[in-house]
Amino acid sequence: MDVQRAKAIYDSKEMISVHLDGEPVWIEHVDAGNGMATVQVGSRPTNTHTVGVERLEEQGS
């Protein structure tokens, strides 16, 4: 995924399925300048990771 798509998903009011290493995630923040995103893994709000947006995969596209 690229930074622009990650931002579009983050800004979208629709629910768009995104996975990181096969796990469903919610995008919580996109750092466009560094190409990074902070994501919540699964339904655990305390389980967050900051990863390169290229590691994120949009599902169903």
Side-chain angles (χ1 to χ4, degrees):
M1 179 178 301
D2 63 25
V3 171
Q4 286 75 26
R5 184 61 186 147
K7 282 209 53 81
I9 290 172
Y10 174 74
D11 292 336
S12 176
K13 298 206 184 319
E14 295 177 39
M15 193 162 134
I16 300 169
S17 181
V18 176
H19 285 201
L20 170 67
D21 300 332
E23 293 277 335
V25 296
W26 290 98
I27 298 174
E28 303 224 324
H29 176 74
V30 177
D31 179 351
N34 291 311
M36 303 295 283
T38 301
V39 298
Q40 174 187 315
V41 180
S43 60
R44 297 173 303 259
T46 58
N47 189 5
T48 60
H49 299 281
T50 301
V51 298
V53 294
E54 73 280 354
R55 292 185 57 199
L56 302 176
E57 297 179 8
E58 184 175 355
Q59 301 299 298
S61 62

